[in-house]
Amino acid sequence: QVQLLESGGGSVQAGGSLRLSCKASRTIGDYCMGWFRQAPGQEREEVATIDRFANRRYIDPVEGRFTTSIDNAKNTAYLQMNSLKPEDTAMYYCAANFARCPWNDDWENWGQGTQVTVSS
Protein backbone atom coordinates (compact mmCIF):
# COMPACT_ATOMS: atom_id res chain seq x y z
CA GLN A 1 0.00 0.00 0.00
CA VAL A 2 1.26 3.44 -0.98
CA GLN A 3 -0.27 6.70 0.18
CA LEU A 4 -0.11 9.44 -2.42
CA LEU A 5 -0.52 13.17 -1.92
CA GLU A 6 -0.87 15.50 -4.88
CA SER A 7 -0.07 19.20 -4.82
CA GLY A 8 0.62 22.02 -7.22
CA GLY A 9 -2.79 22.56 -8.71
CA GLY A 10 -4.27 26.01 -9.13
CA SER A 11 -5.76 28.53 -11.51
CA VAL A 12 -3.81 29.81 -14.50
CA GLN A 13 -4.52 31.57 -17.76
CA ALA A 14 -4.30 29.77 -21.06
CA GLY A 15 -0.71 29.41 -22.14
CA GLY A 16 0.54 29.20 -18.60
CA SER A 17 2.29 26.38 -16.76
CA LEU A 18 1.86 24.33 -13.62
CA ARG A 19 3.84 21.53 -12.07
CA LEU A 20 1.96 18.90 -10.15
CA SER A 21 3.71 16.83 -7.52
CA CYS A 22 2.75 13.43 -6.15
CA LYS A 23 4.50 12.58 -2.89
CA ALA A 24 4.51 8.90 -2.03
CA SER A 25 4.69 7.39 1.45
CA ARG A 26 7.41 4.94 0.43
CA THR A 27 9.96 4.32 -2.27
CA ILE A 28 8.45 4.10 -5.74
CA GLY A 29 11.41 2.84 -7.71
CA ASP A 30 9.55 -0.40 -8.53
CA TYR A 31 6.26 1.30 -9.35
CA CYS A 32 4.59 2.64 -12.41
CA MET A 33 3.29 6.14 -11.71
CA GLY A 34 0.32 7.51 -13.55
CA TRP A 35 -1.50 10.81 -13.89
CA PHE A 36 -5.22 10.96 -14.57
CA ARG A 37 -7.76 13.72 -14.86
CA GLN A 38 -11.49 14.04 -14.61
CA ALA A 39 -13.47 17.03 -15.80
CA PRO A 40 -17.03 17.68 -14.59
CA GLY A 41 -19.47 15.38 -16.32
CA GLN A 42 -16.74 13.37 -17.99
CA GLU A 43 -15.07 10.08 -17.31
CA ARG A 44 -11.65 9.90 -15.75
CA GLU A 45 -8.91 9.57 -18.35
CA GLU A 46 -5.28 8.63 -18.19
CA VAL A 47 -3.00 11.53 -19.03
CA ALA A 48 0.51 10.20 -18.64
CA THR A 49 2.43 7.31 -17.18
CA ILE A 50 6.05 6.60 -16.37
CA ASP A 51 7.27 3.12 -15.55
CA ARG A 52 10.24 1.96 -13.48
CA PHE A 53 12.44 2.03 -16.60
CA ALA A 54 11.45 5.65 -17.29
CA ASN A 55 9.35 4.69 -20.30
CA ARG A 56 6.63 7.26 -20.73
CA ARG A 57 3.33 7.40 -22.50
CA TYR A 58 0.99 10.32 -23.03
CA ILE A 59 -2.43 10.80 -24.47
CA ASP A 60 -2.45 12.72 -27.75
CA PRO A 61 -4.01 15.96 -26.42
CA VAL A 62 -1.08 16.54 -24.04
CA GLU A 63 1.79 15.13 -26.10
CA GLY A 64 4.50 17.76 -26.41
CA ARG A 65 3.01 19.95 -23.68
CA PHE A 66 3.11 17.72 -20.58
CA THR A 67 6.11 15.87 -19.17
CA THR A 68 6.09 13.34 -16.38
CA SER A 69 9.12 12.44 -14.29
CA ILE A 70 10.12 10.78 -11.03
CA ASP A 71 12.60 11.80 -8.37
CA ASN A 72 13.24 8.55 -6.52
CA ALA A 73 15.33 10.28 -3.87
CA LYS A 74 12.25 12.29 -2.90
CA ASN A 75 9.67 9.54 -3.54
CA THR A 76 7.89 12.03 -5.74
CA ALA A 77 6.42 11.98 -9.22
CA TYR A 78 5.84 15.14 -11.22
CA LEU A 79 3.68 16.30 -14.06
CA GLN A 80 4.99 19.43 -15.73
CA MET A 81 2.20 21.05 -17.72
CA ASN A 82 3.04 23.76 -20.24
CA SER A 83 0.96 25.67 -22.78
CA LEU A 84 -2.15 24.94 -20.77
CA LYS A 85 -5.52 25.16 -22.46
CA PRO A 86 -9.02 25.62 -21.01
CA GLU A 87 -9.79 22.02 -21.97
CA ASP A 88 -7.08 20.89 -19.53
CA THR A 89 -9.31 22.03 -16.68
CA ALA A 90 -9.99 19.04 -14.45
CA MET A 91 -9.24 17.35 -11.16
CA TYR A 92 -5.88 15.66 -11.54
CA TYR A 93 -5.00 12.45 -9.74
CA CYS A 94 -1.84 10.47 -9.41
CA ALA A 95 -1.77 6.71 -9.11
CA ALA A 96 0.82 4.04 -8.39
CA ASN A 97 0.93 0.42 -9.45
CA PHE A 98 3.58 -2.09 -8.53
CA ALA A 99 5.86 -3.27 -11.34
CA ARG A 100 3.63 -2.50 -14.34
CA CYS A 101 1.48 0.19 -15.87
CA PRO A 102 -2.09 -1.02 -16.26
CA TRP A 103 -3.80 -0.33 -19.56
CA ASN A 104 -7.08 0.22 -17.79
CA ASP A 105 -8.28 2.04 -14.70
CA ASP A 106 -7.26 -0.76 -12.33
CA TRP A 107 -4.44 0.89 -10.41
CA GLU A 108 -3.62 -0.18 -6.86
CA ASN A 109 -3.13 3.20 -5.20
CA TRP A 110 -4.71 6.61 -5.78
CA GLY A 111 -4.23 10.10 -4.45
CA GLN A 112 -7.02 12.49 -3.50
CA GLY A 113 -6.55 14.82 -6.43
CA THR A 114 -5.62 18.42 -7.06
CA GLN A 115 -7.70 20.87 -9.07
CA VAL A 116 -6.36 22.55 -12.20
CA THR A 117 -8.36 25.39 -13.73
CA VAL A 118 -7.30 27.08 -16.95
CA SER A 119 -9.09 30.26 -18.01
CA SER A 120 -9.17 31.66 -21.52
Side-chain angles (χ1 to χ4, degrees), residues 28 78 109:
I28 52 175
Y78 300 98
N109 307 280

Side-chain angles (χ1 to χ4, degrees), residues 99-115:
R100 66 179 186 89
C101 300
W103 282 97
N104 55 21
D105 213 20
D106 189 21
W107 290 63
E108 298 166 336
N109 307 280
W110 291 88
Q112 295 299 306
T114 185
Q115 178 67 38

Side-chain angles (χ1 to χ4, degrees), residues 14-88:
S17 298
L18 285 173
R19 188 178 78 158
L20 305 184
S21 299
C22 175
K23 174 71 174 176
S25 61
R26 52 152 292 164
T27 57
I28 52 175
D30 291 330
Y31 283 75
C32 176
M33 302 299 294
W35 290 94
F36 293 75
R37 66 186 180 186
Q38 186 169 21
Q42 298 187 21
E43 293 187 355
R44 184 168 59 190
E45 65 174 349
E46 179 187 293
V47 176
T49 64
I50 179 169
D51 69 14
R52 54 184 170 154
F53 305 110
N55 297 308
R56 298 167 172 85
R57 69 179 186 226
Y58 301 94
I59 57 171
D60 287 345
V62 309
E63 183 77 54
R65 299 189 297 121
F66 291 11
T67 303
T68 186
S69 61
I70 294 176
D71 186 337
N72 284 307
K74 296 182 178 179
N75 298 338
T76 301
Y78 300 98
L79 184 68
Q80 177 67 43
M81 305 185 296
N82 298 328
S83 302
L84 282 161
K85 304 175 181 180
E87 52 263 44
D88 295 319

